Every structure is written in C-alpha cells, then in structure tokens.
Amino acid sequence: MSTRIDRISEEVMKALAEAIRSVKDPRVQGAMVSVVRCEVTNDLRYAKCYVSVLGSEQQTKEVMKGLKSAAGWLRREVGHKVQLRYAPELVFELDTSITHGAHISALLHDLKQEGRLGGEDAE
C-alpha cells in the first residue's frame, strides 16, 4: 500500500474520531466509541472504519445503528477536515480486539489470583 494512502487513512481516522464526538444521536453520544483504524481504498471512494465500543452487546448494536444513520453527516465532516476532492464513503465495521484483549487480561488476572498461573514470581 502506498504511503499517500496510509497518510490519508490516518487523516480520515483522526477526523472521524473528532467528528464522532459531535454526533447528536443519543445512541452514539452516551457510549465510549473509539476509532481503531481506517483503510481508504486506492481510488479514495470508500473508507472502511473499524470502531470499538465499550459497553454491552445491546449498546454496541445501538451505537453501530447510530453510526450508520449518521454516516452521511460524518462523511461531510470528514470531507471538510481532510480536504479531498471526494469525501470517501464511510463503511463501519465493529472491531472487538480491545474488548477481546480486556477479557483475556481479566482471565489472566483471575488465574494469577487463584495461583494457577505459572510465572517467575509465583507467590
């Protein structure tokens, strides 16, 4: 992938993260939403945006619906900030890596508390 596309993807990610904070939709407003990464296609028409939502599964579904309904407004905001000829169409994908990592961390913590996790400083 070219460095130009990487730079544009980075700029889209920053602009989107900033714009999401201004969304008026209550489904999005009340949740902790993070933009993990964005991948802009070579023709700059589409941007696949991976977002992570901290909360319950139901809350996550509501946030994704809210983001999809606000996609047009978000696209316009991102277009103003990034200043491309065409603002890429935003496609939202749920990224569960942060939630998955937190779950694994909690499991490891529980195992350590039980004394079942071997390590160099097992007490």
Side-chain angles (χ1 to χ4, degrees):
M1 196 186 266
S2 74
T3 54
R4 178 175 179 259
I5 297 294
D6 291 341
R7 273 194 320 240
I8 292 171
S9 295
E10 191 73 25
E11 289 299 315
V12 167
M13 186 180 92
K14 287 178 187 172
L16 180 61
E18 194 177 310
I20 284 178
R21 285 188 238 128
S22 307
V23 172
K24 298 280 190 273
D25 193 321
R27 297 175 289 192
V28 178
Q29 234 175 9
M32 177 69 183
V33 181
S34 304
V35 181
V36 179
R37 73 178 195 275
C38 287
E39 294 173 354
V40 178
T41 58
N42 287 335
D43 63 358
L44 305 177
R45 294 290 185 189
Y46 296 94
K48 189 176 264 193
C49 304
Y50 295 91
V51 293
S52 178
V53 181
L54 210 59
S56 67
E57 198 173 316
Q58 180 61 36
Q59 190 178 18
T60 301
K61 286 179 183 174
E62 290 299 314
V63 167
M64 293 307 285
K65 285 181 191 172
L67 286 174
K68 282 184 174 85
S69 73
W73 183 83
L74 287 168
R75 179 182 184 182
R76 192 173 52 108
E77 291 297 303
V78 168
H80 284 309
K81 287 184 179 77
V82 179
Q83 292 184 342
L84 294 169
R85 183 174 291 156
Y86 300 106
E89 187 175 321
L90 305 175
V91 179
F92 294 104
E93 289 284 327
L94 184 62
D95 186 309
T96 57
S97 60
I98 294 174
T99 310
H100 188 67
H103 176 68
I104 289 173
S105 181
L107 288 174
L108 289 172
H109 179 73
D110 292 346
L111 286 173
K112 191 170 186 173
Q113 293 298 320
E114 294 172 12
R116 292 183 4 199
L117 185 65
E120 59 278 341
D121 60 344
E123 297 169 22

XYZ file of all heavy atoms in Angstrom, residues 30-75:
351
model
N -23.972 8.586 24.207
C -23.811 8.031 25.544
C -22.806 6.901 25.652
O -22.608 6.356 26.727
N -22.131 6.561 24.574
C -21.241 5.400 24.585
C -19.788 5.818 24.411
O -19.484 6.897 23.921
C -21.626 4.447 23.461
N -18.917 4.916 24.831
C -17.472 5.111 24.648
C -17.094 4.480 23.307
O -17.023 3.258 23.191
C -16.745 4.438 25.807
C -15.264 4.484 25.722
S -14.670 6.151 25.954
C -12.939 5.875 25.699
N -16.910 5.334 22.279
C -16.623 4.851 20.928
C -15.203 5.256 20.553
O -14.828 6.420 20.706
C -17.617 5.444 19.901
C -17.343 4.920 18.512
C -19.047 5.156 20.313
N -14.420 4.293 20.079
C -13.052 4.560 19.635
C -12.905 4.141 18.179
O -13.389 3.077 17.794
C -12.046 3.762 20.460
O -12.193 4.026 21.826
N -12.227 4.959 17.402
C -11.907 4.585 16.031
C -10.549 3.897 16.083
O -9.543 4.522 16.410
C -11.864 5.816 15.097
C -11.543 5.393 13.678
C -13.178 6.555 15.147
N -10.535 2.594 15.804
C -9.310 1.815 15.906
C -8.412 2.062 14.696
O -7.228 2.337 14.835
C -9.624 0.308 16.060
C -8.369 -0.508 16.152
C -10.495 0.076 17.282
N -8.971 1.972 13.501
C -8.204 2.264 12.285
C -9.158 2.477 11.116
O -10.317 2.085 11.178
C -7.184 1.183 11.975
C -7.720 -0.110 11.447
C -6.568 -1.087 11.145
N -7.016 -2.184 10.327
C -7.578 -3.291 10.797
N -7.768 -3.435 12.076
N -7.948 -4.244 9.978
N -8.635 3.091 10.075
C -9.381 3.299 8.837
C -8.517 2.837 7.680
O -7.306 3.033 7.688
C -9.727 4.772 8.644
S -11.002 5.375 9.739
N -9.166 2.222 6.702
C -8.476 1.793 5.489
C -9.194 2.417 4.296
O -10.318 2.040 3.990
C -8.498 0.264 5.369
C -7.717 -0.442 6.450
C -7.895 -1.946 6.413
O -8.715 -2.461 5.616
O -7.218 -2.619 7.210
N -8.533 3.366 3.660
C -9.108 4.028 2.492
C -8.691 3.247 1.250
O -7.533 2.842 1.130
C -8.623 5.490 2.407
C -9.164 6.177 1.171
C -9.049 6.255 3.642
N -9.641 3.027 0.339
C -9.327 2.296 -0.895
C -8.434 3.151 -1.793
O -8.364 4.372 -1.623
C -10.611 1.924 -1.667
O -11.331 3.123 -1.952
C -11.479 0.965 -0.873
N -7.766 2.506 -2.743
C -6.835 3.205 -3.628
C -7.493 4.305 -4.453
O -6.860 5.303 -4.775
C -6.138 2.210 -4.556
C -5.126 1.377 -3.830
O -4.587 1.779 -2.801
N -4.855 0.190 -4.349
N -8.780 4.129 -4.799
C -9.473 5.165 -5.573
C -10.104 6.239 -4.674
O -10.769 7.146 -5.163
C -10.527 4.536 -6.489
C -11.628 3.813 -5.727
O -11.562 3.751 -4.484
O -12.545 3.290 -6.385
N -9.886 6.147 -3.370
C -10.356 7.129 -2.374
C -11.876 7.251 -2.309
O -12.402 8.245 -1.831
C -9.742 8.511 -2.628
C -8.215 8.586 -2.688
C -7.772 9.990 -3.025
C -7.603 8.136 -1.387
N -12.592 6.246 -2.781
C -14.055 6.291 -2.776
C -14.655 5.761 -1.472
O -15.721 6.197 -1.066
C -14.625 5.476 -3.943
C -14.300 6.037 -5.293
C -15.053 7.312 -5.529
N -14.815 7.780 -6.889
C -15.197 8.958 -7.316
N -15.830 9.779 -6.531
N -14.937 9.317 -8.548
N -13.987 4.789 -0.871
C -14.516 4.156 0.343
C -13.470 4.164 1.444
O -12.278 4.048 1.174
C -14.920 2.701 0.074
C -16.040 2.564 -0.920
C -15.774 2.362 -2.269
C -17.368 2.653 -0.515
C -16.790 2.254 -3.196
C -18.394 2.551 -1.439
C -18.098 2.341 -2.764
O -19.119 2.248 -3.678
N -13.950 4.271 2.675
C -13.069 4.155 3.832
C -13.724 3.163 4.787
O -14.826 3.403 5.284
C -12.888 5.503 4.513
N -13.059 2.039 4.997
C -13.558 1.061 5.958
C -13.037 1.482 7.324
O -11.821 1.563 7.536
C -13.071 -0.344 5.601
C -13.743 -1.425 6.438
C -13.317 -2.795 6.003
C -14.336 -3.352 5.040
N -14.156 -4.786 4.795
N -13.955 1.794 8.219
C -13.595 2.339 9.521
C -13.913 1.315 10.608
O -15.074 0.937 10.783
C -14.358 3.629 9.780
S -14.109 4.846 8.482
N -12.886 0.893 11.297
C -13.047 -0.082 12.377
C -13.224 0.672 13.683
O -12.349 1.435 14.086
C -11.826 -0.997 12.441
C -11.672 -1.853 11.208
C -10.924 -1.416 10.124
C -12.289 -3.094 11.118
C -10.789 -2.194 8.979
C -12.166 -3.875 9.976
C -11.416 -3.415 8.917
O -11.290 -4.185 7.796
N -14.381 0.468 14.318
C -14.676 1.151 15.571
C -14.848 0.132 16.691
O -15.300 -0.987 16.466
C -15.946 2.042 15.478
C -15.724 3.201 14.536
C -17.149 1.259 15.061
N -14.475 0.561 17.873
C -14.612 -0.275 19.051
C -15.552 0.439 20.016
O -15.447 1.656 20.200
C -13.242 -0.480 19.700
O -13.375 -1.243 20.868
N -16.472 -0.313 20.608
C -17.450 0.261 21.529
C -17.309 -0.436 22.869
O -17.335 -1.666 22.947
C -18.887 0.084 20.994
C -19.895 0.695 21.945
C -19.030 0.667 19.614
N -17.133 0.367 23.919
C -17.043 -0.195 25.257
C -18.447 -0.209 25.857
O -19.061 0.840 26.011
C -16.092 0.661 26.106
C -15.320 -0.038 27.199
C -14.456 -1.144 26.600
C -14.457 0.933 27.947
N -18.965 -1.388 26.131
C -20.308 -1.495 26.680
C -20.902 -2.860 26.401
O -20.224 -3.771 25.914
N -22.182 -2.996 26.697
C -22.855 -4.274 26.499
C -23.064 -4.541 25.013
O -22.900 -3.662 24.172
C -24.217 -4.255 27.208
O -25.072 -3.330 26.566
N -23.455 -5.780 24.711
C -23.684 -6.157 23.315
C -24.839 -5.349 22.717
O -24.774 -4.923 21.566
C -23.985 -7.659 23.239
C -23.811 -8.229 21.852
C -23.947 -9.746 21.823
O -23.389 -10.407 22.698
O -24.636 -10.238 20.905
N -25.882 -5.132 23.507
C -27.035 -4.351 23.040
C -26.621 -2.907 22.763
O -27.005 -2.331 21.742
C -28.157 -4.399 24.087
C -29.405 -3.629 23.694
C -30.052 -4.154 22.420
O -30.055 -5.349 22.161
N -30.587 -3.262 21.608
N -25.830 -2.340 23.663
C -25.364 -0.961 23.478
C -24.493 -0.860 22.224
O -24.598 0.097 21.466
C -24.574 -0.519 24.711
C -24.254 0.953 24.735
C -23.524 1.363 25.993
O -22.957 0.539 26.702
N -23.535 2.654 26.279
N -23.674 -1.876 22.004
C -22.817 -1.907 20.820
C -23.647 -1.901 19.547
O -23.361 -1.158 18.606
C -21.900 -3.155 20.855
O -21.107 -3.104 22.031
C -21.011 -3.223 19.646
N -24.710 -2.709 19.513
C -25.589 -2.761 18.344
C -26.244 -1.408 18.098
O -26.359 -0.961 16.954
C -26.666 -3.831 18.533
C -26.141 -5.248 18.399
C -27.256 -6.257 18.625
C -26.710 -7.677 18.564
N -27.730 -8.664 18.914
N -26.689 -0.758 19.166
C -27.334 0.553 19.044
C -26.352 1.598 18.516
O -26.708 2.424 17.680
C -27.906 1.008 20.402
C -29.105 0.206 20.848
C -30.280 0.296 19.879
O -30.614 1.411 19.434
O -30.858 -0.758 19.553
N -25.105 1.555 19.012
C -24.094 2.514 18.550
C -23.818 2.309 17.062
O -23.722 3.275 16.302
C -22.787 2.378 19.371
C -21.642 3.130 18.716
C -23.000 2.887 20.785
N -23.716 1.054 16.625
C -23.455 0.781 15.204
C -24.604 1.284 14.334
O -24.379 1.854 13.264
C -23.214 -0.723 14.979
C -21.934 -1.240 15.605
S -20.442 -0.334 15.165
C -20.175 -0.920 13.499
N -25.853 1.111 14.812
C -27.008 1.645 14.075
C -26.934 3.166 14.005
O -27.212 3.767 12.967
C -28.318 1.237 14.765
C -28.712 -0.207 14.550
C -30.031 -0.484 15.265
C -30.346 -1.965 15.320
N -31.517 -2.228 16.180
N -26.575 3.779 15.129
C -26.453 5.241 15.179
C -25.377 5.758 14.237
O -25.566 6.766 13.557
N -24.239 5.062 14.184
C -23.156 5.469 13.289
C -23.573 5.333 11.828
O -23.270 6.200 11.010
C -21.895 4.636 13.548
C -21.116 4.956 14.818
C -19.984 3.969 15.006
C -20.591 6.383 14.790
N -24.289 4.248 11.519
C -24.734 4.055 10.134
C -25.726 5.144 9.724
O -25.689 5.623 8.594
C -25.351 2.669 9.971
C -24.283 1.585 9.857
C -24.878 0.213 9.597
C -23.799 -0.812 9.353
N -23.231 -1.405 10.538
N -26.595 5.536 10.650
C -27.565 6.572 10.303
C -26.911 7.959 10.210
O -27.395 8.829 9.488
C -28.727 6.595 11.299
O -28.322 7.128 12.531
N -25.798 8.149 10.922
C -25.100 9.438 10.872
C -23.975 9.441 9.840
O -23.219 10.405 9.751
C -24.527 9.758 12.252
N -23.860 8.386 9.041
C -22.734 8.226 8.108
C -22.632 9.382 7.115
O -21.529 9.843 6.808
C -22.837 6.894 7.366
N -23.758 9.860 6.613
C -23.734 10.961 5.656
C -23.163 12.230 6.265
O -22.316 12.908 5.665
N -23.611 12.570 7.470
C -23.113 13.754 8.167
C -21.641 13.593 8.504
O -20.846 14.527 8.317
C -23.945 13.982 9.440
C -23.531 15.216 10.167
C -23.924 16.496 9.894
C -22.620 15.295 11.267
N -23.312 17.360 10.764
C -22.517 16.655 11.611
C -21.896 14.358 11.988
C -21.701 17.097 12.658
C -21.091 14.796 13.022
C -20.991 16.146 13.354
N -21.266 12.392 8.992
C -19.861 12.135 9.323
C -18.975 12.240 8.086
O -17.869 12.777 8.141
C -19.713 10.752 9.971
C -20.219 10.635 11.402
C -20.294 9.171 11.821
C -19.355 11.422 12.360
N -19.477 11.746 6.952
C -18.726 11.808 5.691
C -18.448 13.259 5.310
O -17.341 13.616 4.901
C -19.512 11.103 4.592
C -18.849 11.129 3.245
C -19.726 10.455 2.211
N -19.037 10.384 0.914
C -19.573 9.877 -0.170
N -20.789 9.370 -0.144
N -18.909 9.858 -1.288
